[in-house]
Amino acid sequence: MAAGFKVLEEFLGDSLDLPVKCKDGKIRTFHIEGPSAEDGLKVEKLMETGIKLAAAPEAAPDATALDDLAELNLYKAALGDTYDEALAQLDWARFRHMALTAVLWISQGLDAAETFWNSGGDPSQTGPANREQRRASSRAAKSTPSRASRSGTSTPPATARARKATRT
């Protein structure tokens, strides 16, 4: 065994537990197992295609990705065995939010999924923290002294020193 590497199962979360209020008013925790490697790759491919389309809607997407999209039920791939139970017990908004959280978990990791989940799917809910971080970094950049100007008490430029040397 390679030195320094932990066994992957010791630290990699391979499931997701999401508490959701069901149609009957009860809160249930849905346990979502990590997808198979094949389903994980499909979810990532579809996310990549979606991001490309959002960035450049005029560009035609990869035809094979569209074929995969037509054949693949993204939510079913992301939710796995939990799909049918969630479909039966949740209204559309909660089902969709849970499925999209699972998609983000698969494609971008636990932190992205948790941020999405806790925002209620509203990107503006994560905006203030980002805006505050941007402002803080902007203030830090402005407070960082810029390269000293050549005026004042700094060392004169080489041409000024050369002129002074020729005068004496």
Side-chain angles (χ1 to χ4, degrees):
M1 188 158 139
F5 287 96
K6 296 179 187 176
V7 175
L8 193 57
E9 283 70 24
E10 291 178 9
F11 62 90
L12 180 68
D14 56 356
S15 65
L16 194 60
D17 293 311
L18 300 174
V20 185
K21 185 176 180 180
C22 297
K23 290 179 191 175
D24 63 6
K26 294 180 182 177
I27 296 177
R28 292 189 174 81
T29 299
F30 290 86
H31 181 77
I32 303 166
E33 289 289 332
S36 67
E38 183 178 349
D39 283 346
L41 289 170
K42 285 180 182 178
V43 168
E44 285 198 356
K45 176 75 172 175
L46 290 172
M47 285 295 291
E48 180 182 309
T49 302
I51 290 168
K52 285 179 183 176
L53 281 173
E58 68 282 350
D62 180 16
T64 58
L66 284 178
D67 289 344
D68 288 345
L69 182 59
E71 295 173 11
L72 177 69
N73 181 332
L74 178 63
Y75 294 162
K76 189 167 182 111
L79 295 174
D81 294 338
T82 308
Y83 178 87
D84 291 328
E85 178 187 4
L87 192 59
Q89 294 188 31
L90 300 175
D91 62 25
W92 170 244
R94 286 172 176 79
F95 177 82
R96 181 177 183 273
H97 189 69
M98 188 171 84
L100 288 172
T101 299
V103 167
L104 284 171
W105 170 58
I106 293 165
S107 63
Q108 297 179 22
L110 186 59
D111 290 341
E114 185 176 2
T115 298
F116 177 80
W117 179 262
N118 291 331
S119 74
D122 182 1
S124 70
Q125 294 299 312
T126 58
N130 291 337
R131 193 175 312 119
E132 288 170 18
Q133 289 172 351
R134 285 193 303 272
R135 286 181 181 159
S137 67
S138 175
R139 282 190 297 269
K142 288 178 184 173
S143 68
T144 303
S146 61
R147 187 174 176 161
S149 68
R150 298 273 183 201
S151 63
T153 60
S154 65
T155 305
T159 55
R161 285 192 306 263
R163 272 188 254 131
K164 187 175 180 180
T166 58
R167 286 187 208 151
T168 57

